[in-house]
């Protein structure tokens, strides 16, 4: 009975995978035929089924960009880049889309060449790659610690100490970068203006005073969500509330 159940489950899973592959092929075909609305619908259906990955998000960004919907394009590019921060194609298309927005809001890391270099180094490896590399470094440190004890020659012991120092330094730097990435993943919340423009109010109500007006495609930090409103900030210059009907929060 158990074998029959596993066989049926396997056949069902294979059927779902085949249906998903067919939907993805149809979405790609629609995109290639410039039927961007159809492609968007098909890719979104796959997202709703739980097939959430950077490639589908990137494809959605491209489709929306081709439709001229910069806000949605930036939203999906940002979502894709959050899953795969080392992908140069996603980063390039995101930068291209952002260049067409009216609000040119750049982060301090992008303005400062030193911070920009550190930012690039920080994202050179994915979080998964860094975790694997940390495991390798732990193994190497253990190996050289053992060799330091086992080797009889003082010269060999000094060489192993040098390797231990070097690997320890790399390990600490990599661990700091990894910890910060994990912290960012847990705490960093951003959103994108998808409407033509949206007003930033001093409070979560349209009766409050208008502080700023943001244009489509503007990316901001989400500080909190209160009902139908999001408290946002952009650097130290802009802070207030925007209607969630005008923006999308990056998951």
């Amino acid at each position: 009975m158990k074998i029959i159940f596993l066989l049926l489950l396997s056949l069902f899973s294979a059927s779902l995978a085949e249906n998903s592959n067919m939907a993805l092929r149809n979405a790609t075909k629609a995109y290639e035929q410039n039927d961007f609305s159809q492609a968007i619908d098909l890719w979104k259906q796959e997202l709703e089924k739980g097939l959430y990955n950077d490639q589908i998000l990137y494809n959605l960004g491209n489709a929306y960009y081709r439709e001229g919907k910069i806000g949605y394009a930036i939203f999906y590019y940002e979502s894709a880049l959050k899953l795969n921060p080392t992908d140069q194609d996603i980063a390039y298309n995101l930068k291209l889309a952002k260049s067409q927005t009216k609000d040119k809001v750049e982060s301090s890391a992008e303005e400062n060449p030193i911070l920009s270099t550190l930012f690039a180094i920080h994202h050179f490896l994915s979080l998964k790659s860094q975790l694997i590399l940390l495991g390798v470094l732990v193994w190497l440190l253990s190996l050289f610690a053992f060799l330091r004890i086992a080797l009889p020659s003082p010269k060999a012991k000094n060489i192993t100490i040098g390797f231990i120092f070097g690997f320890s330094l790399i390990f600490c730097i990599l661990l700091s970068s990894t910890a910060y990435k994990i912290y960012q993943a847990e705490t960093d919340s951003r959103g994108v203006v998808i409407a033509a423009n949206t007003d930033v109010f001093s409070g979560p109500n349209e009766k409050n005073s208008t502080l700023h007006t943001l244009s489509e495609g503007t990316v901001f930090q989400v500080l909190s969500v209160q009902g139908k409103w999001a408290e946002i900030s952009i650097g130290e210059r802009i802070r207030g509330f925007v209607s969630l009907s005008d923006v999308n929060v990056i998951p």
Side-chain angles (χ1 to χ4, degrees):
M1 187 70 180
K2 184 177 180 180
I3 296 175
I4 295 175
F5 173 75
L6 291 175
L7 179 60
L8 291 174
L9 181 61
S10 176
L11 291 172
F12 179 70
S13 299
S15 176
L16 288 178
E18 179 58 31
N19 289 338
S20 179
N21 290 334
M22 179 63 72
L24 293 176
R25 286 195 293 268
N26 289 338
T28 301
K29 184 178 179 181
Y31 180 86
E32 292 172 347
Q33 294 176 347
N34 295 330
D35 189 354
F36 304 120
S37 295
Q38 177 67 9
I40 288 170
D41 289 340
L42 290 171
W43 277 319
K44 279 189 172 182
Q45 287 175 21
E46 294 307 299
L47 290 182
E48 292 170 358
K49 293 176 184 176
L51 191 62
Y52 191 86
N53 60 53
D54 58 290
Q55 190 58 52
I56 291 180
L57 295 170
Y58 174 62
N59 290 340
L60 280 166
N62 289 337
Y64 275 115
Y65 181 84
R66 295 290 297 275
E67 279 200 329
K69 297 179 179 179
I70 298 299
Y72 280 101
I74 291 175
F75 169 75
Y76 283 107
Y77 286 146
E78 287 276 5
S79 300
L81 200 62
K82 187 174 182 179
L83 291 181
N84 189 1
T86 61
D87 191 299
Q88 295 301 310
D89 290 333
I90 299 173
Y92 177 83
N93 283 15
L94 174 59
K95 185 176 181 180
L96 180 64
K98 281 185 173 181
S99 69
Q100 299 180 29
T101 61
K102 294 180 181 179
D103 298 324
K104 307 301 179 184
V105 182
E106 303 293 342
S107 68
S108 57
E110 292 172 326
E111 294 170 352
N112 189 307
I114 297 176
L115 291 177
S116 180
T117 302
L118 292 174
F119 184 80
I121 295 172
H122 171 65
H123 285 295
F124 180 74
L125 293 174
S126 67
L127 177 58
K128 182 178 179 180
S129 298
Q130 287 185 218
L131 290 171
I132 294 172
L133 190 53
L134 283 172
V136 173
L137 286 171
V138 169
W139 184 85
L140 288 173
L141 285 169
S142 300
L143 174 63
F144 279 99
F146 170 78
L147 291 174
R148 181 179 177 275
I149 298 171
L151 292 172
S153 169
K155 183 178 180 180
K157 287 180 181 290
N158 290 333
I159 292 175
T160 58
I161 290 173
F163 275 106
I164 290 172
F165 176 79
F167 285 135
S168 296
L169 182 62
I170 296 172
F171 180 85
C172 291
I173 294 172
L174 191 61
L175 181 63
S176 299
S177 175
T178 303
Y180 184 64
K181 279 185 179 179
I182 294 173
Y183 171 79
Q184 275 190 313
E186 293 295 326
T187 61
D188 182 50
S189 181
R190 288 173 297 156
V192 182
V193 178
I194 56 172
N197 55 68
T198 187
D199 291 327
V200 181
F201 296 94
S202 59
N205 194 302
E206 291 183 355
K207 294 181 180 179
N208 289 285
S209 58
T210 302
L211 304 177
H212 303 277
T213 298
L214 302 178
S215 301
E216 180 182 11
T218 303
V219 181
F220 50 81
Q221 292 294 127
V222 178
L223 304 177
S224 67
V225 174
Q226 302 179 22
K228 297 180 180 180
W229 295 84
E231 183 182 11
I232 72 162
S233 69
I234 301 178
E236 297 182 0
R237 298 183 297 109
I238 299 175
R239 181 164 180 164
F241 292 82
V242 296
S243 172
L244 286 174
S245 62
D246 294 336
V247 304
N248 270 0
V249 177
I250 299 169

